[in-house]
Amino acid sequence: MSKTALITGASSGIGAVYAQRLAARGHDLVLVARRAERLAELATELQQAHGISVRTIAADLSVETGMASIETVLRNEEIDLLVNNAGMGPIASTADLSDEAAAQTLALNVTALMRLTRAALPGMRARKTGAIVNVGSVMAFHAMPATSLYSATKAFVLTYSRAIQQEVQADGVLIQAVLPAGTITEFYDTAGVPIANFDQSAFMTAEQLVDAALAGFDRSEEVTLPSVHDLDLWNTYDTARQNLFGGTQNGSPAPRYQSA
């Protein structure tokens, strides 16, 4: 029996490549994005190339009606794999970012990802199988001028994913956080900073990124860092994170904060 994957932000970039790769693996697909025409073109291409079933849903996940429509699918249908890929990242200083852009960023990067994850989990846990891929960013580790909100939302994606990993570890469900670095997509143009402004040698293609992410998925990795060659960097970071948390469990202030 074919497995079914639901992919958000599927009309271009990383989401479209996930659709291509999962179709080649024999998955039936539910493709979600705002641009109906692009989704229809991709669906036709994948159906013809791989003989799979593809359904498209035009939905804006930054608004209530869009989120609710996809929640309904995830609650009522047997979705084996959810790829939470939809996201945005306007580049602007905190004071200059418009209220509308800030609200949309939070809705898409945080609220939609959270709600779709919550909608998918009960069925997966009951079936004792399934997977959720949350596409974050290495900006989860780093804040820069003009990325304050974007970095914060991607830190949420990582922390949220890691907590759920612990919740479902006995249920046969995989939660994978994928943290890309620079990737050649339309993201930068949408953010207002054309990718041509950057050193192209520092960027992966979307195909390279997704192939690496799927290699990590096949290994049941909980955190996949496609651009990080030295895995000890991650292991050292993660150990320090755990030690830092453990070091806060002390009933008295640190000596440096106590009067002489």
Side-chain angles (χ1 to χ4, degrees), residues 112-171:
L113 181 142
M114 177 270 293
R115 285 177 53 172
L116 299 193
T117 296
R118 282 171 40 80
L121 274 176
M124 291 181 178
R125 296 182 80 176
R127 295 188 296 270
K128 297 295 183 182
T129 185
I132 298 175
V133 176
N134 289 329
V135 179
S137 167
V138 293
M139 294 304 291
F141 305 127
H142 190 54
M144 298 171 60
T147 73
S148 57
L149 185 58
Y150 178 73
S151 294
T153 64
K154 294 307 181 179
F156 169 85
V157 172
L158 177 58
T159 301
Y160 188 60
S161 299
R162 302 229 67 195
I164 300 170
Q165 289 161 1
Q166 297 172 65
E167 294 174 1
V168 302
Q169 59 188 355
D171 296 326

Side-chain angles (χ1 to χ4, degrees), residues 168-242:
V168 302
Q169 59 188 355
D171 296 326
V173 177
L174 172 65
I175 310 294
Q176 182 196 24
V178 176
L179 308 182
T183 307
I184 299 172
T185 69
E186 296 174 6
F187 172 90
Y188 295 92
D189 292 329
T190 303
V193 183
I195 199 167
N197 293 0
F198 298 93
D199 176 4
Q200 301 298 292
S201 67
F203 283 69
M204 287 186 191
T205 65
E207 289 78 8
Q208 289 173 315
L209 180 280
V210 173
D211 287 342
L214 286 172
F217 181 86
D218 292 340
R219 298 186 181 102
S220 298
E221 285 186 352
E222 294 185 335
V223 178
T224 297
L225 292 150
S227 64
V228 176
H229 288 227
D230 183 359
L231 194 57
D232 285 342
L233 289 171
W234 163 252
N235 292 331
T236 299
Y237 172 89
D238 202 36
T239 298
R241 175 191 61 82
Q242 295 177 63

